[in-house]
């Protein structure tokens, strides 16, 4: 651990040790649409198969340099990308560009209509696509790096509070609230339906973060080159697979709004949206909408806020800094009794497909029982001027992101979820106590109950390092 700390300090110092920084930037949208079908699509309990692509998927890449330090920011149209793919893609890109792997931030958008690249519930990774995706992400970084040219940057934020709603609702004491392990102790329900139809709903169990943050890049002669945005919304999900979901629509709307050319690349990273979606369960039941209509509405609204957040002044003397570290956390292992119960359920289902939550989570219980006792998470912080970016490999709850923003030593900060790996949901310990889908033990939620209490201080340390 001591050696790791020394490395972190070194990285953090590189950016600020240089003479007057001179910003350069290059961007590239790498197509990552698979070339073979059918292909597995995760994002639900049951697996789905896509037979075509409704719209193309991309790994959107932005490389920045300040004359001393180079970084790459990549946003991938995928539901969740495991550590192995991130590390392999970074290693290839590092070799070909000289950008250190530790200076590359790759995150998944969380579109629920992309090929499976990590095992989750009843979906297994498509190995051919895993290899394809790894190479394409690296290729995208190489392309963006080859386009490096003098540039200017500006950053800011605006609010779009109308597209985000906390999806976990507290339920009345005694309301039926069965979990997949046979327990009845949950006091919240995820996606509970509209309150108009459900008298057991009390109130949302947590906050939302309405901020749309942007890092906007222009060429030396002030033409839009790239825009990296961040918004804390889980996904929209009204398009058939394969689809980049509203993240892809946002990229096109942004180009139009900024009057940008073909080489302009916009990308929307996922903020802290582990408990936040686009459905207002407390409001009136909305009319049915057509395919892609809601994605269009949400993308237009978020892009309008992003356009408002683009500052009027841009500067080329922007310095960069990066710090990252590994944090070892415990896995929330099932008890012997829980494993016995799960095995019994699976024995009854032997020879047929698993049906319903109880059976699917029984399989997850057995899989987590075979996990190691601890896992290593990669945490990262990046500084661009006085803008901070925190990266966490989880589906982070909104209140955690709000806390990081508030406590950050940098003037502006946002958090990218599903970054540099995938380690499931990250609720606070208090949210764990309330129960609900995001806390149910599975490959989608397996970190120790107090994981956030270890991750947040580690992120604050990294932000302090890059802020120096
Ligand atoms: Zn999710």
């Amino acid at each position: 651990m001591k050696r790791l700390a020394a490395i972190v300090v070194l990285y953090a110092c590189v950016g600020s040790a240089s003479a007057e920084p001179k910003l350069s930037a290059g961007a590239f949208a790498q197509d990552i649409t698979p070339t073979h079908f059918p292909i597995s699509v995760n994002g639900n309990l049951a697996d789905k198969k896509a037979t075509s692509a409704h719209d193309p998927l991309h790994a959107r890449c932005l490389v920045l340099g300040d004359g001393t330090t180079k970084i790459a920011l990549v946003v991938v149209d995928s539901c969740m990308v495991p550590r192995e793919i991130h590390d392999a893609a970074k290693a290839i890109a590092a070799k070909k560009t000289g950008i250190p792997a530790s200076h590359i931030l790759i995150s998944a958008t969380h579109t629920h209509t992309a090929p499976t690249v990590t095992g989750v519930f009843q979906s297994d990774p498509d190995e051919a696509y895993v290899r394809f995706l790894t190479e394409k992400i690296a290729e995208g970084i190489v392309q963006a790096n080859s386009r490096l040219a003098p540039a200017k940057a500006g950053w800011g934020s605006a609010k779009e509070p109308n597209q985000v709603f906390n999806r976990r609702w507290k339920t009345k004491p005694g309301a039926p609230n069965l979990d997949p392990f046979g327990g009845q102790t949950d006091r919240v329900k995820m996606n509970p339906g509209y309150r108009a139809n459900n008298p057991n709903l009390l109130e949302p169990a947590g906050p939302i973060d309405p901020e749309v943050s942007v890092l906007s890049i222009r060429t030396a002669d002030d033409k839009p080159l790239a825009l990296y945005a961040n918004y804390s919304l889980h996904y929209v999900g009204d398009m058939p697979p394969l689809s980049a979901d509203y993240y892809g629509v946002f990229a096109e709307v942004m180009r139009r709004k900024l009057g940008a050319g073909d080489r302009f690349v916009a990308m929307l990273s996922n903020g802290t949206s582990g408990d936040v979606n686009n459905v207002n369960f407390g409001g009136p039941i909305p009319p049915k909408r057509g395919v892609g209509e809601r994605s269009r509405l949400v993308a237009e609204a978020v892009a309008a806020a992003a356009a408002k957040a683009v500052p009027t002044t841009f500067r080329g003397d922007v310095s960069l800094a990066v710090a990252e570290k590994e944090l070892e956390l415990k896995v929330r292992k099932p008890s012997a009794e829980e494993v016995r119960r799960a095995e019994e359920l699976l024995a009854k289902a032997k020879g047929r497909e698993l049906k319903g939550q109880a059976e699917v989570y029984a399989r997850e219980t057995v899989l987590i029982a075979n996990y190691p006792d601890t896992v290593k998470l990669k945490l990262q912080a990046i500084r661009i001027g006085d803008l901070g970016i925190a990266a966490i490999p989880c589906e982070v709850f909104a209140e955690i992101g709000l806390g990081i923003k508030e406590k950050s030593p940098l003037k502006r900060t946002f958090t990218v979820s599903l970054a540099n790996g995938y380690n499931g949901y990250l609720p606070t310990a208090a949210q764990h106590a309330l129960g609900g889908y995001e806390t149910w033990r599975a490959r989608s939620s397996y970190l120790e109950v107090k994981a956030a209490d270890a991750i947040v201080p580690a992120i604050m340390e990294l932000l302090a390092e890059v802020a120096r």
Side-chain angles (χ1 to χ4, degrees):
M1 278 315 277
K2 263 206 174 126
R3 175 183 259 172
L4 198 61
I7 293 167
V8 167
V9 172
L10 182 68
Y11 286 145
C13 290
V14 170
S16 51
S18 63
E20 181 76 348
K22 263 195 171 359
L23 191 73
S24 59
F28 188 75
Q30 172 67 55
D31 197 310
I32 56 163
T33 315
T35 50
H36 68 276
F37 294 94
I39 193 161
S40 163
V41 175
N42 69 286
N44 296 284
L45 274 198
D47 185 46
K48 278 187 191 168
K49 292 276 185 276
T51 52
S52 64
H54 174 269
D55 51 81
L57 307 177
H58 288 93
R60 299 173 191 276
C61 308
L62 170 62
V63 171
L64 298 173
D66 68 357
T68 313
T69 303
K70 260 192 193 181
I71 64 168
L73 306 175
V74 183
V75 179
V76 183
D77 288 323
S78 183
C79 192
M80 55 266 280
V81 177
R83 174 84 182 262
E84 298 74 42
I85 295 180
H86 287 287
D87 286 353
K90 288 176 189 182
I92 301 169
K95 206 170 160 197
K96 291 188 176 172
T97 64
I99 304 169
S102 59
H103 288 203
I104 302 174
L105 160 57
I106 306 173
S107 66
T109 56
H110 211 45
T111 169
H112 277 46
T113 39
T116 308
V117 291
T118 189
V120 60
F121 296 122
Q122 296 303 90
S123 298
D124 294 315
D126 184 289
E127 292 304 337
Y129 186 71
V130 164
R131 287 192 295 276
F132 175 86
L133 180 64
T134 305
E135 279 157 24
K136 290 289 176 189
I137 292 172
E139 208 174 305
I141 299 170
V142 171
Q143 288 292 338
N145 184 64
S146 73
R147 291 183 174 195
L148 275 173
K152 300 175 188 172
W155 44 93
S157 76
K159 293 208 162 44
E160 176 40 274
N162 302 313
Q163 303 301 334
V164 276
F165 304 92
N166 198 289
R167 71 181 191 181
R168 283 162 56 84
W169 278 69
K170 290 185 179 164
T171 51
K172 283 183 184 163
N177 222 346
L178 190 68
D179 69 43
F181 312 103
Q184 296 248 36
T185 55
D186 281 0
R187 283 179 287 154
V188 304
K189 213 168 164 53
M190 181 266 276
N191 291 343
Y194 289 91
R195 185 158 54 180
N197 291 336
N198 188 344
N200 288 324
L201 299 188
L202 291 172
E203 59 186 356
I208 51 106
D209 178 357
E211 193 170 36
V212 179
S213 302
V214 303
L215 164 66
S216 184
I217 308 293
R218 285 189 185 168
T219 59
D221 57 348
D222 275 317
K223 297 209 168 56
L225 191 148
L227 182 130
Y228 185 102
N230 180 268
Y231 189 49
S232 296
L233 169 60
H234 215 74
Y235 71 111
V236 173
D238 66 341
M239 290 197 270
L242 301 169
S243 170
D245 201 276
Y246 93 106
Y247 308 95
V249 187
F250 171 89
E252 284 315 308
V253 174
M254 213 61 233
R255 181 201 305 278
R256 195 191 69 219
K257 279 202 188 293
L258 297 182
D262 281 354
R263 284 165 83 95
F264 171 82
V265 180
M267 57 200 94
L268 177 57
S269 59
N270 205 318
T272 50
S273 68
D275 52 348
V276 175
N277 72 9
N278 184 237
V279 188
N280 182 10
F281 294 116
I285 299 169
K288 276 235 174 324
R289 296 192 190 277
V291 169
E293 208 180 324
R294 208 152 55 88
S295 280
R296 168 74 41 189
L297 287 170
V298 177
E300 289 277 357
V302 177
K308 231 189 282 170
V310 172
T312 46
T313 49
F314 281 72
R315 48 194 302 176
D317 60 340
V318 175
S319 70
L320 309 171
V322 189
E324 66 170 35
K325 73 187 279 182
E326 274 191 335
L327 186 68
E328 193 163 356
L329 292 176
K330 287 198 199 94
V331 171
R332 200 161 13 106
K333 302 284 279 277
S335 67
E337 170 54 26
E338 285 168 327
V339 175
R340 193 199 56 73
R341 182 185 174 274
E343 281 170 344
E344 215 173 271
L345 268 171
L346 293 175
K348 277 186 202 153
K350 206 167 180 164
R352 62 163 170 81
E353 221 170 283
L354 300 182
K355 282 187 285 199
Q357 285 186 352
E359 290 181 4
V360 170
Y361 274 88
R363 176 167 171 257
E364 293 294 318
T365 298
V366 172
L367 289 169
I368 298 296
N370 291 321
Y371 264 33
D373 290 342
T374 61
V375 285
K376 284 182 178 158
L377 275 74
K378 178 170 282 187
L379 303 176
Q380 191 183 47
I382 289 178
R383 179 181 59 73
I384 298 158
D386 61 9
L387 170 70
I389 304 176
I392 301 177
C394 299
E395 299 188 60
V396 184
F397 273 36
E399 62 191 279
I400 296 171
L402 289 167
I404 291 171
K405 284 180 176 180
E406 198 191 304
K407 286 182 287 205
S408 171
L410 288 153
K411 198 169 166 203
R412 284 181 187 281
T413 300
F414 61 81
T415 302
V416 181
S417 285
L418 296 149
N420 301 317
Y422 177 66
N423 298 90
Y425 278 99
L426 185 65
T428 59
Q431 290 289 340
H432 263 291
L434 293 173
Y437 163 75
E438 297 84 353
T439 71
W440 294 345
R441 187 190 47 243
R443 285 172 292 172
S444 56
S445 179
Y446 64 86
L447 294 178
E448 57 182 289
V449 166
K450 289 189 169 172
D453 295 337
I455 289 172
V456 173
I459 283 289
M460 298 322 296
E461 268 173 39
L462 292 173
L463 285 169
E465 292 287 349
V466 296
R468 256 180 225 154

